Amino acid sequence: MGSSSPTGHAHGHGHSLSISRKSSNVRSSRESLRKQAVTGAASSSNVEQKKRVVSNSGAAEARPRMRYVPKLPHTESYPVAPTTGMYWSRASVFGETPGRPMKAHSATVVDNVVWVFGGCDETGCYRDVYCFDTETMHWSHPTMTGEIPPPCRAHTATLIDRKIVFIAGGQGPNYYDKTYILDTITRRWKLAQIEGVNPPPRRAHTAVLYKGQIWVFGGGNGMQALNDVWALDVAHGVEKLKWTKIDTHGKKPQERGYHTANLVGNHMVVIGGSDGRDTYQDIWFLNLDTALWTKAKLDKEYKRLSHTATQVGSYLFVLGGYEGSAFSPEMLLFNLVTLQWEHRAAYGKPPIQRGYHTTVLTDSRVFMIGGSHGGKDLIDDVQTLDLGGAAYLPQVMSFTLEMP
């Protein structure tokens, strides 16, 4: 029989409150523990990420940004274009994207992946590596081990058997003369041990691979521009290297840096550049078998520095660069048969004019990464030039350079 007395009722109600408070306390404790666990895990994750970024990139590195889905363009803002025409568009990228814009970096294609190293922004230079998959448009930021080079810009990168050989470069007032090798399979860096006398420190030079040697031309050392030629013997693999200074013949190009160099047949084709005062508009050919320099006779000339030159079959696609007074938005084609400049139309939205960017050719597309629009106005996009009806051009390789 239940008591209806106020005392009994009050006592029973008090017991209910006690149970309720205990349940509430348990829930609060569990919630507190859950929050602590989540906070701790997030903190641990942040610490691990910071550790990884610092160990991989150095204390000055910006943290990567994660984009989980591609940022798609608004199609209504793109003009109609013929299907056979070359077409510019901004790549819809995602993944662990670089946490900063970059200029004066290097980009090397291994299979369908572009390995991007170094470069700088308005705060300084970097030594991290990012990988961009040209099939999926996915960025990743792999962890590197070994003897990681110092922060660097304006170096050269040459692919040899899935290993990338990085020569010289610098940051701020520092100019390097070291060579580093990155194994893209093991993701391990190594400081190369090289026989012979190293070339003087430099950056803004160029390099091409020919007959088991990396041929290096020009650049600058902080006091003056250079026009010397060196060859790094890699014929026996990257474990046994040797430097040799090359004595060239004929009239030499003026000292320069921030030019481009492409291997076409047995010639190194050098376009433009600057000595720090003048911007050059000339084109030179160095026969790598005879070490003879020859200057092109051009109907029309275009000043360029900090541009890119990408070989697409019998053409060099010259994109961007500084033309003496401003950065150029033009796409110029240098015909390797006629040895003259040509213009070709491209549709879509062309990239903003820039210099100090990189370009690579893969899968009938030219990819453009980063660059600078001038001063601290840096760019962090990836642009693609679809070759369209000109996709056959990379197959056109049965030609020879006829020197004037």
Side-chain angles (χ1 to χ4, degrees), residues 195-197 199 213-214 229-233 242-246:
E195 297 180 18
V197 178
Q213 292 184 310
I214 299 176
V229 178
W230 293 76
L232 179 63
D233 190 338
K242 183 178 181 180
W243 278 114
T244 303
K245 191 177 188 303
I246 304 298

Side-chain angles (χ1 to χ4, degrees), residues 164-219:
I164 307 175
V165 179
F166 296 88
I167 298 176
Q171 66 161 332
N174 301 314
Y175 291 74
Y176 305 149
D177 63 353
K178 304 297 184 184
T179 298
Y180 286 85
I181 300 168
L182 173 61
D183 189 320
T184 61
I185 297 177
T186 63
R187 299 178 179 179
R188 185 174 183 82
W189 283 100
K190 179 181 179 181
L191 174 62
Q193 303 300 317
I194 306 177
E195 297 180 18
V197 178
N198 282 355
R202 68 190 63 209
R203 65 187 185 213
H205 50 292
T206 52
V208 300
L209 177 65
Y210 178 69
K211 287 187 176 180
Q213 292 184 310
I214 299 176
W215 297 71
V216 174
F217 168 67

